């Protein structure tokens, strides 16, 4: 343990926390040997966050820790995190963790004159030396202000605690309350003393889902990502979704794989790239689900695992649809090549969906994935959140090299641009539009590839048909206008509107 | 720390502990003020054990000492605690739950 004195000019180092996504947004973790202030309103997840920091420090990085609690009693903390599978009691028995109980002591009946926090400071120094602690948590400072009446003493003493922690050479995290999500940093002006690093946790209601975010407000002397990143607390603890901080990698694979349809492969200049993201947009009944089935079938025939995420139809409907084109999903699922997950969009918030998808990919390890449809998820969040979700999703599947087919249902039967399309077009590698086309008095089907990154592709509009054998691409349709935005029609026909 | 017996009684009516942190002005003042109050109100009826948390942090942990100075009435129950340097005699006595027949007024304890 080194004493970081004034003349010690080593740059600040960061230590990893093991919390999913935190290293990414903080560019490495907590600043070593310094105090980080973690602020948030009541219920924003401060305690869980700090307990997880400590638990992972001890179990993943062999860094013993001390938890100083001013709010909940140690037994309550230990009991509360048992559901996450974290056995803190065991760590205490093994001498890797020490609790210091500074929670409300109802036998203290009066204050008279001046006092200080030497009691807790002595305990901290003793506990740090006893367990060889590298990380100290103090949760929460606000509770001290409720227990003791002299804020001037408390502020001075908190400052003294940060000094002591620094001289002990430990990394520390203090938590403090906020009254409002976007008001002053913390309630008692503590941030004026703990000035190195400030992290803000927020939770706000968005479209009837609680949306939690984490923001690194300040990390002195080091770089970090700005902005608020969504996070979730589930049965594995805290997961931060680094969304826009993710790097959007360019295509790196030149390996082509098949759509499952020779004609489509031909239109796309020889198939799809292995790590590409393909958007198929079209109206209801326009052939999207068939394209999905074709894509799934191809994957299974090649013996590659494929994950099918359904947000519009139930499992039974998906099975039945596929059956009608002679595709047996059931068989492949039994063989372990296909995994179908159907969920109502409203079942959880978008961060929840994203995390579920990531977990599915982690455990099933598919080579291909289908989401039918991604536009069904539009309605459960505001646009900004939806866009973040798409970026998070697409960058994750790219990173994992999962060839992904996304479908998007256009709002009108004839086509037109949807929200999904306009938000996703820049991050997809290929876009295929399926449209109804009015020719003379009959409604025909047309498709066009409007984008195929890194490859030549057919530029004309092709007619296609669907029968019980699947999808068949036919001749180019000529003289069609407005396939991208308006109502496609042929010039030879009487305009339909 | 060994208990410092005040007077000769082997089973005192009151047992107190005083937690201080190091040999500081604050510690000395707190102990002097507290002793003066007890001497005045509970002569020969009490024992006071002084515990320095800097020397004995394990006890500070065991007895959950966040704040110093802190006076604790250990006996008779219930346990009561008062923090500060005990400048207000009435607060100290009522805080520790001591009803005294020697309730005569005295000057405030010295605060410096």
């Amino acid at each position: 343990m080194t004493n970081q004195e004034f003349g010690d000019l080593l740059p600040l180092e960061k230590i990893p926390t093991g919390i999913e996504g935190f290293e990414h947004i903080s560019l490495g973790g907590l600043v070593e040997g310094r105090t980080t202030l973690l602020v948030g309103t009541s219920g924003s997840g401060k305690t869980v966050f700090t307990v997880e920091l400590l638990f992972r420090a001890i179990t993943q990085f062999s860094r013993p820790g001390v938890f100083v609690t001013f709010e909940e009693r140690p037994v309550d903390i230990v009991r509360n995190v048992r559901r996450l599978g974290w056995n803190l009691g065991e760590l205490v028995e093994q001498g890797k963790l020490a609790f210091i109980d500074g929670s409300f002591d109802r036998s203290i009946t009066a204050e008279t004159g001046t006092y200080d926090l030497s009691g807790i400071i002595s305990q901290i120094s003793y506990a740090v030396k006893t367990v060889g602690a590298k990380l100290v948590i103090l949760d929460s400072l606000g509770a001290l202000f409720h227990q003791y009446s002299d804020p001037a003493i408390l502020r001075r003493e908190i400052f003294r605690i940060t000094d002591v922690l620094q001289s002990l050479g430990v990394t520390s995290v203090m938590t403090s309350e906020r009254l409002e999500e976007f008001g002053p940093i913390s309630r008692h002006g503590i941030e004026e003393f703990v000035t190195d690093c400030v992290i803000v946790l927020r939770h706000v209601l968005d479209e009837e889902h609680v949306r939690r975010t984490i923001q690194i407000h300040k990390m002195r002397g080091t770089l970090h990502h700005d902005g608020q990143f969504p996070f979730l607390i589930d049965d594995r603890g805290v997961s931060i979704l680094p969304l826009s901080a993710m790097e959007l990698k360019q295509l790196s694979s030149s390996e082509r794989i098949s759509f499952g349809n020779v004609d489509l492969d031909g239109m796309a200049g020889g198939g799809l790239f292995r790590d590409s993201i393909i958007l198929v947009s079209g109206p209801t009944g326009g052939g999207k689900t068939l394209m999905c089935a074709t894509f799934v079938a191809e994957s299974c025939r090649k013996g590659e695992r494929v994950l099918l995420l359904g947000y519009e139809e139930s499992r039974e409907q998906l099975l039945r649809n596929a059956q009608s084109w002679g595709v047996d999903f059931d068989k492949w699922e039994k063989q372990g090549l296909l995994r179908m997950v159907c969920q109502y969009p409203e079942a959880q918030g978008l961060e929840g969906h994203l995390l579920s998808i990531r977990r599915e990919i982690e455990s099933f390890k598919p080579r291909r994935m289908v989401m039918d449809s991604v536009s069904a998820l539009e309605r459960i969040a505001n646009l900004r959140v939806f866009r973040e979700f798409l970026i998070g999703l697409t960058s994750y599947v790219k990173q994992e090299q999962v060839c992904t087919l996304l479908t998007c249902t256009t709002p009108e039967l004839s086509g037109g641009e949807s929200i999904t399309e306009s938000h996703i077009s820049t991050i997809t590698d290929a876009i295929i539009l399926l449209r109804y086309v009015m020719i003379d008095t009959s409604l025909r089907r047309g498709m066009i590839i409007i984008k195929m990154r890194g490859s030549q592709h057919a530029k004309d509009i092709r007619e296609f048909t669907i029968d019980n054998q699947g999808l068949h691409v036919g001749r180019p349709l000529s003289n069609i206008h407005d396939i991208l935005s308006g109502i496609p029609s042929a010039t030879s026909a009487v305009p339909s509107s | 720390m060994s208990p410092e017996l005040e007077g000769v009684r082997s089973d005192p009516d009151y047992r107190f502990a005083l937690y201080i942190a190091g040999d500081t002005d604050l510690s000395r003042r707190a102990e002097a003020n507290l002793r003066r109050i007890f001497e005045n109100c509970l002569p020969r009826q009490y024992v006071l054990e002084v515990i320095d948390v800097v020397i004995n942090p394990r006890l500070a942990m065991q007895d959950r000492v966040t704040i110093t100075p802190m006076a604790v009435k250990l006996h008779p129950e219930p346990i009561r605690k008062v923090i500060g340097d005990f400048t207000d005699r009435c607060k100290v006595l009522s805080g520790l739950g001591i009803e005294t027949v020697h309730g005569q007024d005295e000057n405030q304890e010295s605060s410096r």
Side-chain angles (χ1 to χ4, degrees):
Chain A
M1 245 174 276
T2 58
N3 196 341
Q4 296 203 338
E5 287 299 324
F6 195 69
D8 188 350
L9 290 176
L10 288 172
L12 295 172
E13 297 281 335
K14 287 183 183 168
I15 52 167
T17 62
I19 289 183
E20 190 175 343
F22 186 78
E23 273 67 84
H24 200 111
I25 65 165
S26 61
L27 299 176
L30 293 172
V31 180
E32 188 171 21
R34 295 302 177 102
T35 299
T36 297
L37 180 67
L38 179 72
V39 299
T41 53
S42 169
S44 57
K46 297 186 295 297
T47 301
V48 173
F49 197 93
T50 53
V51 173
E52 182 162 358
L53 281 174
L54 202 57
F55 179 76
R56 294 194 184 280
I58 297 167
T59 58
Q60 279 177 243
F61 303 103
S62 304
R63 285 194 201 105
V66 171
F67 197 107
V68 186
T69 173
F70 295 115
E71 199 157 12
E72 292 178 84
R73 292 179 311 151
V75 281
D76 293 326
I77 294 172
V78 173
R79 191 181 298 129
N80 289 345
V81 300
R82 278 311 292 268
R83 72 190 159 82
L84 298 163
W86 303 340
N87 191 341
L88 300 181
E90 200 175 85
L91 300 178
V92 172
E93 281 165 25
Q94 294 166 355
K96 296 170 181 167
L97 168 64
F99 274 102
I100 294 176
D101 186 358
S103 64
F104 179 66
D105 184 348
R106 63 181 69 249
S107 56
I108 296 177
T109 51
E111 291 179 11
T112 160
T114 187
Y115 50 86
D116 60 36
L117 290 178
S118 294
I120 210 84
I121 290 173
S122 303
Q123 289 191 56
I124 292 171
S125 307
Y126 173 68
V128 163
K129 284 167 189 157
T130 306
V131 302
K134 298 278 185 283
L135 179 65
V136 175
I137 307 289
L138 291 97
D139 178 57
S140 79
L141 299 177
L144 273 178
F145 288 82
H146 296 299
Q147 291 181 52
Y148 308 105
S149 63
D150 192 335
I153 290 180
L154 293 172
R155 278 196 210 100
R156 183 195 71 208
E157 290 295 297
I158 287 165
F159 189 40
R160 192 156 71 98
I161 290 175
T162 62
D163 268 0
V164 169
L165 290 169
Q166 196 160 331
S167 70
L168 287 168
V170 296
T171 307
S172 57
V173 178
M174 296 180 170
T175 72
S176 180
E177 286 68 34
R178 310 178 77 196
L179 292 177
E180 311 150 53
E181 292 297 356
F182 294 93
I185 288 298
S186 100
R187 194 173 172 185
H188 304 282
I190 297 161
E191 73 278 5
E192 290 167 31
F193 302 102
V194 187
T195 48
D196 290 330
C197 316
V198 179
I199 298 173
V200 183
L201 301 182
R202 294 187 174 88
H203 65 155
V204 289
L205 210 56
D206 175 58
E207 306 278 336
E208 300 184 0
H209 285 280
V210 175
R211 178 175 157 82
R212 298 178 183 276
T213 63
I214 179 168
Q215 178 190 10
I216 297 179
H217 180 76
K218 176 158 77 177
M219 200 168 241
R220 185 157 291 178
T222 74
L223 292 171
H224 63 89
H225 277 295
D226 289 323
Q228 294 179 43
F229 299 95
F231 75 96
L232 291 115
I233 299 173
D234 68 1
D235 58 358
R236 294 207 212 166
V238 172
S239 302
I240 300 165
L241 305 167
L243 303 187
S244 45
M246 280 185 172
E247 293 158 42
L248 278 176
K249 276 188 275 180
Q250 289 298 311
L251 279 179
S252 54
S253 171
S254 56
E255 184 194 347
R256 298 262 190 170
I257 60 172
S258 173
F259 263 110
N261 183 300
V262 183
D263 303 330
L264 281 172
D265 288 343
M267 280 179 75
L272 301 165
F273 289 111
R274 167 59 78 191
D275 59 352
S276 61
I277 293 164
I278 307 107
L279 178 69
V280 176
S281 159
T284 293
K288 297 188 301 298
T289 303
L290 172 57
M291 284 196 77
C292 294
T294 311
F295 185 82
V296 167
E298 171 65 18
S299 185
C300 294
R301 271 197 296 271
K302 289 270 159 60
E304 294 178 347
R305 279 195 291 276
V306 55
L307 177 65
L308 173 54
L309 305 168
Y311 296 100
E312 288 189 343
E313 290 175 302
S314 70
R315 209 187 134 73
E316 288 67 33
Q317 281 171 300
L318 289 175
L319 284 169
R320 209 163 42 235
N321 291 343
Q323 201 71 53
S324 69
W325 300 305
V327 176
D328 193 351
F329 278 179
D330 195 39
K331 182 183 78 191
W332 284 319
E333 201 167 32
K334 287 199 177 88
Q335 290 175 6
L337 287 169
L338 170 64
R339 180 166 163 73
M340 292 164 67
V341 179
C342 295
Q343 195 172 50
Y344 281 111
E346 285 80 6
Q348 53 186 333
L350 279 182
E351 290 86 17
H353 278 293
L354 182 53
L355 190 64
S356 305
I357 295 169
R358 289 173 61 145
R359 297 264 155 93
E360 289 290 347
I361 292 174
E362 264 172 44
S363 62
F364 187 60
K365 299 195 175 14
R367 294 304 303 272
R368 300 193 190 201
M369 183 173 91
V370 172
M371 278 182 81
D372 188 24
S373 69
V374 74
S375 51
L377 295 172
E378 269 171 22
R379 62 175 183 259
I380 64 166
N382 69 40
L383 263 182
R384 190 177 52 79
V385 174
F386 183 64
R387 182 168 169 76
E388 280 180 3
F389 164 78
L390 290 174
I391 293 171
L393 174 76
T394 50
S395 47
Y396 185 72
V397 298
K398 284 232 155 185
Q399 179 195 316
E400 298 300 310
Q401 296 234 330
V402 181
C403 184
T404 300
L405 184 75
L406 308 171
T407 73
C408 165
T409 306
T410 51
E412 288 152 40
L413 204 58
S414 53
E417 201 171 71
S418 74
I419 294 164
T420 307
E421 249 175 73
S422 55
H423 279 84
I424 206 172
S425 54
T426 54
I427 47 184
T428 55
D429 301 300
I431 299 175
I432 301 169
L433 303 184
L434 304 178
R435 293 289 188 262
Y436 288 115
V437 183
M438 197 76 158
I439 294 176
D440 296 329
T441 55
S442 64
L443 205 54
R444 315 263 279 271
R445 296 174 190 274
M447 80 163 71
I448 182 169
I449 296 181
I450 59 169
K451 174 179 175 183
M452 185 79 197
R453 197 174 278 165
S455 171
Q456 288 298 312
H457 63 88
K459 307 285 195 300
D460 48 3
I461 302 166
R462 301 288 179 87
E463 179 166 15
F464 72 97
T465 55
I466 293 174
D467 61 19
N468 58 10
Q469 300 296 306
L471 188 147
H472 306 280
V473 180
R475 291 176 303 107
L477 289 166
S478 51
N479 302 324
I480 308 288
H481 308 294
D482 297 331
I483 193 157
L484 295 182
S485 58
I487 296 167
S489 59
T491 39
S492 63
V494 179
S496 57
S497 64
Chain B
M1 293 285 123
S2 61
E4 297 172 30
L5 293 177
E6 306 293 322
V8 288
R9 293 185 52 172
S10 56
D11 56 338
D13 298 335
Y14 291 94
R15 283 200 300 119
F16 299 101
L18 170 64
Y19 294 89
I20 53 163
D23 184 16
T24 63
D25 286 350
L26 178 62
S27 298
R28 283 194 290 268
R29 192 163 66 240
E31 184 176 347
N33 285 343
L34 195 64
R35 283 189 189 281
R36 191 173 306 125
I37 293 167
F38 290 163
E39 284 300 322
N40 191 257
C41 303
L42 308 166
R44 300 160 62 86
Q45 299 168 57
Y46 75 99
V47 270
L48 173 66
E49 184 183 3
V50 180
I51 297 163
D52 186 337
V53 297
V54 175
I55 295 170
N56 205 337
R58 202 179 54 79
L59 270 183
M61 218 160 160
Q62 183 187 307
D63 300 340
R64 295 187 50 197
V65 183
T66 302
I67 299 278
T68 53
M70 177 167 80
V72 185
K73 185 193 69 175
L74 300 165
H75 176 82
E77 299 217 356
I79 289 175
R80 304 283 287 272
K81 301 170 183 171
V82 173
I83 58 172
D85 56 358
F86 317 115
T87 48
D88 184 328
R89 184 168 156 272
C90 292
K91 269 194 183 173
V92 172
L93 292 174
S94 68
L96 293 174
I98 297 165
E99 287 175 30
T100 168
V101 288
H102 312 269
Q104 73 268 39
D105 271 330
E106 264 220 358
N107 294 331
Q108 288 267 299
E109 310 307 324
S110 79
S111 60
R112 285 294 131 194

